[in-house]
Each structure stands twice: as C-alpha cells, then as structure tokens.
Amino acid sequence: MFTAHPSIADADLTEPQFIADDDRIPAIYRAICRTMNGGFLAQFSLPTSEPTNDGLADVECHYLAGIAQHGEVTIQAPALPDYLIPFSQHHQRYFAFDYHQSSDEPQIRYIDTEVDQWLVVADSLTSFLTQLSPKIIDLNIENKLTPLQRNHYLLVAQGAQLDALLARYEADADKQWLFDWLLYFAEQGTPAQQMSALIAYDIQRLYFKRQLPRIKSAQLTTIFEQLPSLKDAYHAYQKTWSPL
C-alpha cells in the first residue's frame, strides 16, 4: 500500500501528515496505522464523478496520515464541519471520514475548499482503498508541481517517467535536494533507478558542474564506481567529465 519513505521525501512539505487520535477513527484505519503509521501511497488515483484539480475523472490522494502519538503536528481544518475528520491534506484539498450520515461506517469525502467542491468518493474506507489505482504521471512542464507532488511522483515513477522527472528538475531545482534524491536512488533503488540516477548525474557534471554540492557529488561517484551493473556505463560517462 505504501511506498518507501526516505527522509528526502519530506523535504519542503508544509501540510501535517498526522491526525489527532479520535475515537471515531475506523478500526481498519487504526489497523493500517499499527502496521505503518501513515505514508505516501503506491496507488494514489481515485475515480470521481466529475472533474477535479487533478484530472477529468479522478483525484489524487497522495498519502494517508498517521495517528499522532508523540505530539506531532496534526491536520487542522477549522472551516470544515465537525462531522468530518480529515486524514489527508494537500493545500486546500482534503480527504475526510464523513460521519454526517452514519456514526458507525463513515463515507469518504473529498473537499477542495478553494473551489468549494465536495464529493463523496467512497461509501466506506474499504471501498476507498479498493478503488485506488496507479496513475501515469502528467509530465506536462506547464503544470507547476507542489513539493508534495514533486516528492511523491519521484517515489512512484518508474522507467522513462523517472528519467523525465529528473530531467525536468535538472536546471532549476535546488541542487542539494536533487542530489539527495540521486543518492537515494543510487543507494537504495532498483538497477533501473540506479541507472536513471547515473544519467541524471551525467547531465549535472556536463552542464552544471560549478553549482554542484561537492561532498554529495563525491559520494555519488563512489557509489557508482562500486556498483557492478553500472561500472562500464559510469566509466564511459566519466571520460567526458572535466574535473570539479
């Protein structure tokens, strides 16, 4: 259900990713949080009956909030009625347990307060989770991504989509942030993700070398040299690099 959750995935996030403990929280949700207390979803697209800010027939739920246990900052939505318990927030958009119709089995409601859109997207939490599906990420460069989208998409992107996302950030993203992601993929990624990290690093060495974080760059080259699957490709790229 959840993706890996490296620390870099929380970079620049502004919305809390915890909810206050409440007796009304469904037992299924509590069971999920006992296994993993919230996190980014691997499948995050939910069908809708009308267009939303995310698509013509779907909406994106990026994460499930954990239940606060140690005084963590929690989602606050004072403008919403008390019968709603938000469990995911993305700026002015919320997913919430809706107890307006039932005190036992809440519906799941999506609310976009910026455009006053209120949709019932599932009759229960079980139905909500069942309907979640993967999504092809919209790579249109005209679409400005929030920090939450940017980090979540990098966690779930594969193959050409990951290459395209890294290429999108190659010129204007913060280099420390970008190199933390490259280090994550190089250290913990699949062979394909490691190759994507090497390709992205090659572009950085060729065109942005004066801007690179030296320590993280050295860490990357050490990792690439030690990966048997990348050794030949790394040395081929290395021949084209001038010294930092």
Side-chain angles (χ1 to χ4, degrees):
M1 175 183 294
F2 295 109
T3 67
H5 197 127
S7 58
I8 183 58
D10 294 323
D12 300 323
L13 300 191
T14 56
E15 296 88 0
Q17 295 193 358
F18 290 89
I19 56 176
D21 201 349
D22 190 304
D23 291 340
R24 295 175 294 170
I25 294 173
I28 297 173
Y29 198 90
R30 289 187 178 278
I32 292 170
C33 288
R34 281 195 293 270
T35 302
M36 183 170 178
N37 198 21
F40 287 97
L41 290 165
Q43 300 188 79
F44 60 99
S45 176
L46 191 76
T48 57
S49 58
E50 61 185 62
T52 71
N53 191 71
D54 295 321
L56 295 176
D58 83 306
V59 65
E60 297 176 4
C61 183
H62 295 281
Y63 71 92
L64 301 184
I67 299 173
Q69 300 172 337
H70 306 291
E72 295 93 344
V73 176
T74 59
I75 297 172
Q76 302 293 320
L80 299 181
D82 290 340
Y83 58 78
L84 294 175
I85 302 178
F87 60 85
S88 189
Q89 179 184 3
H90 183 202
H91 288 357
Q92 295 86 13
R93 292 163 242 160
Y94 302 86
F95 288 88
F97 302 121
D98 184 348
Y99 285 94
H100 185 59
Q101 300 295 332
S102 171
S103 60
D104 298 320
E105 184 70 31
Q107 294 178 317
I108 306 301
R109 189 179 284 271
Y110 166 73
I111 308 107
D112 185 340
T113 59
E114 186 174 21
V115 296
D116 198 29
Q117 184 177 39
W118 296 60
L119 297 177
V120 174
V121 291
D123 292 331
S124 67
L125 178 59
T126 299
S127 174
F128 171 82
L129 296 174
T130 301
Q131 291 184 71
L132 290 173
S133 64
K135 181 174 182 177
I136 297 175
I137 299 166
D138 184 353
L139 297 172
N140 184 350
I141 60 173
E142 299 298 322
N143 295 336
K144 185 176 180 180
L145 302 181
T146 66
L148 182 66
Q149 289 172 314
R150 186 178 62 176
N151 289 343
H152 188 200
Y153 291 163
L154 282 172
L155 282 175
V156 299
Q158 299 291 328
Q161 288 216 312
L162 177 57
D163 292 336
L165 283 172
L166 291 173
R168 176 174 183 163
Y169 306 137
E170 65 188 18
D172 56 2
D174 175 80
K175 296 301 183 187
Q176 297 286 347
W177 172 86
L178 178 60
F179 271 61
D180 280 340
W181 274 108
L182 296 184
L183 282 165
Y184 168 69
F185 290 128
E187 292 175 323
Q188 302 182 44
T190 65
Q193 289 172 323
Q194 291 170 335
M195 188 66 204
S196 293
L198 176 57
I199 292 170
Y201 180 68
D202 176 55
I203 296 298
Q204 295 298 308
R205 284 296 300 262
L206 290 175
Y207 301 106
F208 304 99
K209 73 171 189 176
R210 293 183 180 180
Q211 304 172 33
L212 304 190
R214 296 293 183 93
I215 293 176
K216 291 177 181 177
S217 181
Q219 291 172 331
L220 272 172
T221 57
T222 299
I223 294 169
F224 292 141
E225 283 183 328
Q226 295 174 350
L227 290 171
S229 62
L230 292 186
K231 190 173 183 179
D232 291 344
Y234 169 73
H235 285 295
Y237 284 132
Q238 188 185 37
K239 292 176 182 179
T240 66
W241 300 337
S242 57
L244 286 176

